[in-house]
Amino acid sequence: MFDGFEDERIDVGEVELRVRHAGHGLPVLLIHGHPRTGSTWHRVAPQLVDRGFTVVCPDMRGYGQSGKAKILADHSQQSKRVVAADMVQLMDELGHTTFATVGHDRGSYVALRLALDHPDAVSRLVVIDGVPISEALARCDAKFAHDWYHWFFFAQPDKPERAIAADPDAWYASKARPESMGAENYQEFRHAIHDAATVRAMLEDYRAGLGVDRAHEEADRRDGRTVRCPTLFLWSTRDDMEDLYGDPLAVWRPWAADLRGHSIESGHHVAEENPDDLTAALHHFLS
């Protein structure tokens, strides 16, 4: 994986981030989701480099081989605001004061927060398979509660850690396959889900989501704060964005004036399942 990429640990203040980066040209930050690491982009990142971009693929704080912060009572150490600040510091350390940002799944919430909190840093925003947390919760019905029960289970103290630790492969890896993910990506994923500190930090992501992250987004809406840069929303045809929201672009329109988007034929982990079409969509939008 990531042939020709630098693989470093970079101090961003409270934690060190594991990051792979390569290329010359417009910098693009790729932010993974749960329960993946930066390696989920291993089929997309080299293609973007070949197309003339500088590509940066970190493990978010708490995830993969990046540092774990001290857990706070309100879980704000894993808030999207704090993770976004990590990313700005990381990109600055790599010499990029402005950059395009792409976020998938939980990483889409970090990408949104980056664009809202650091508008001068984010030149273009891409969000994949996720709507703002506050929007999802405002629309929560019996279907959402049934299909996305993990949001609420993960927010409970202690019990999710115990359930996952009993058999991480049964919890996470039953739907993951080395054939579809790539052998090295799969092994990195399995290493993460078998690390108790990583599992707890990933759960803290969800605990922050239902609390401080939701509050931050609701404050944005009250204050009329929106994304200032061009924004692209992509969703997987075999995920549940359309089942949950009908036209998912309608959910995003109040958040970004310059919005466009379309679906990609794929399951949820689009960077692994359909990297060619995803790369083409990113190249077209970012160029």
Side-chain angles (χ1 to χ4, degrees):
M1 292 191 301
F2 295 99
D3 186 33
F5 279 64
E6 296 289 330
D7 188 347
E8 298 186 80
R9 270 65 173 174
I10 294 181
D11 187 344
V12 296
E14 189 177 19
V15 296
E16 280 191 348
L17 300 184
R18 192 262 181 96
V19 58
R20 301 169 173 104
H21 59 96
H24 302 280
L26 175 73
V28 181
L29 172 67
L30 302 180
I31 310 175
H32 63 85
H34 170 271
R36 297 303 204 251
T37 72
S39 69
T40 195
W41 302 105
H42 73 102
R43 291 172 173 151
V44 172
Q47 291 194 57
L48 289 175
V49 169
D50 289 344
R51 294 179 185 224
F53 295 94
T54 295
V55 181
V56 180
C57 301
D59 292 354
M60 289 189 288
R61 70 158 58 197
Y63 283 77
Q65 295 182 37
S66 284
K68 281 64 173 164
K70 179 182 178 181
I71 295 175
L72 303 176
D74 66 353
H75 315 291
S76 59
Q77 85 289 340
Q78 204 67 36
S79 73
K80 310 310 165 284
R81 174 158 285 160
V82 169
V83 179
D86 287 346
M87 297 300 168
V88 171
Q89 182 63 32
L90 170 67
M91 295 301 278
D92 187 66
E93 293 288 337
L94 292 174
H96 310 305
T97 55
T98 61
F99 49 90
T101 299
V102 180
H104 174 254
D105 185 73
R106 302 302 291 187
S108 71
Y109 311 136
V110 176
L112 172 62
R113 181 50 52 198
L114 258 169
L116 291 169
D117 285 3
H118 307 275
D120 294 332
V122 179
S123 59
R124 287 185 176 247
L125 172 66
V126 182
V127 285
I128 307 170
D129 284 338
V131 302
I133 293 170
S134 59
E135 299 285 1
L137 292 174
R139 291 165 172 77
C140 181
D141 57 12
K143 177 176 175 55
F144 185 91
H146 178 274
D147 295 350
W148 288 52
Y149 77 95
H150 62 282
W151 273 31
F152 310 103
F153 178 59
F154 286 174
Q156 304 309 308
D158 300 323
K159 289 183 179 180
E161 283 91 337
R162 294 173 63 188
I164 294 169
D167 192 341
D169 288 316
W171 189 274
Y172 279 125
S174 60
K175 296 181 179 180
R177 294 287 183 269
E179 300 81 25
S180 60
M181 293 178 65
E184 292 178 79
N185 180 33
Y186 179 74
Q187 288 305 317
E188 190 167 310
F189 153 75
R190 285 197 70 246
H191 182 270
I193 66 173
H194 281 265
D195 181 78
T198 299
V199 169
R200 169 151 289 190
M202 292 194 296
L203 296 172
E204 287 290 304
D205 181 343
Y206 286 83
R207 290 163 182 155
L210 295 189
V212 291
D213 293 332
R214 180 184 189 179
H216 292 158
E217 289 184 7
E218 290 174 343
D220 293 328
R221 301 307 296 139
R222 288 193 302 271
D223 296 341
R225 189 179 301 115
T226 58
V227 176
R228 294 187 345 207
C229 64
T231 301
L232 175 68
F233 176 56
L234 301 171
W235 66 96
S236 304
T237 55
R238 287 179 273 115
D239 202 10
D240 57 0
M241 287 288 104
E242 293 182 17
D243 290 341
L244 288 171
Y245 306 115
D247 175 12
L249 282 171
V251 182
W252 274 104
R253 286 192 184 101
W255 291 85
D258 185 353
L259 175 71
R260 64 213 75 177
H262 58 85
S263 63
I264 292 181
E265 176 58 34
S266 181
H268 178 62
H269 295 287
V270 58
E272 298 167 1
E273 298 176 41
N274 192 351
D276 294 345
D277 284 355
L278 177 57
T279 300
L282 295 178
H283 183 206
H284 178 74
F285 176 68
L286 298 176
S287 297

